[in-house]
Amino acid sequence: MSHLATLDTSLHNRLPESAMTMFEAKAAKKLTFEAIAKELGRAEVAVAAMFYGQARASEEDIDKLSKLLGVDHAKLTQELAGFPDRGRTIDMPPKEPLIYRLFEIVQNYVGDSKLLRCPFHVADETHFRDTLIRL
């Protein structure tokens, strides 16, 4: 049996209203992201991204979600009408070392539109050697 993903209450103020609406309905219906993904014909990760407000839902997705979750179509359409807002769920600047380095690269090098490729080294903790990653 799959475990149901629920919304961490500490994230409520960082997520769009649609997240609360959809997570409450998902929990009430005891649905998993996997089950919802099958009904929508989408990848499980894409469905989770819609729930967290990080991916845009198509009109077809909204129709299917409304029926599946039992949420009013007009309410869901209004709540999902905006653009995805990625990155609001983490503290800025990030505290996890790898994510911080990626954030730093984007801020310092990609932000000025002069760098097309940015090679950098990350210590591979498993083998204790440098691994070249190209962005």
Side-chain angles (χ1 to χ4, degrees), residues 5 21 37 42 48 52 55 61-62 69 92 101 105 109 116 121 125 129:
T21 300
R42 302 280 301 255
Y52 284 98
D61 293 330
I62 294 171
L69 298 175
M92 289 306 226
R101 291 294 171 227
I105 287 166
Y109 300 107
L116 298 176
H121 293 279
E125 294 180 12
R129 61 188 161 109

Side-chain angles (χ1 to χ4, degrees), residues 10-48:
S10 69
L11 298 177
H12 280 195
N13 64 337
R14 297 181 184 186
L15 294 174
E17 188 179 352
S18 62
M20 276 60 86
T21 300
M22 292 194 299
F23 270 103
E24 286 172 6
K26 177 181 171 294
K29 299 268 185 173
K30 297 184 175 157
L31 293 168
T32 63
F33 283 131
E34 180 181 15
I36 296 169
K38 284 180 183 174
E39 289 292 321
L40 269 59
R42 302 280 301 255
E44 188 176 348
V45 173
V47 171

Side-chain angles (χ1 to χ4, degrees), residues 37-107:
K38 284 180 183 174
E39 289 292 321
L40 269 59
R42 302 280 301 255
E44 188 176 348
V45 173
V47 171
M50 281 189 265
F51 270 69
Y52 284 98
Q54 297 183 357
R56 196 167 194 170
S58 69
E59 186 59 40
E60 183 181 350
D61 293 330
I62 294 171
D63 289 341
K64 289 179 180 180
L65 281 169
S66 174
K67 290 173 188 165
L68 181 64
L69 298 175
V71 176
D72 179 63
H73 188 275
K75 176 182 171 106
L76 207 52
T77 299
Q78 180 184 3
E79 290 181 0
L80 293 173
F83 289 97
D85 189 6
R86 299 176 184 105
R88 290 179 64 187
T89 58
I90 61 171
D91 294 326
M92 289 306 226
K95 293 177 179 42
E96 199 279 320
L98 177 61
I99 302 301
Y100 178 81
R101 291 294 171 227
L102 292 171
F103 172 78
E104 184 178 50
I105 287 166
V106 170
Q107 291 295 328

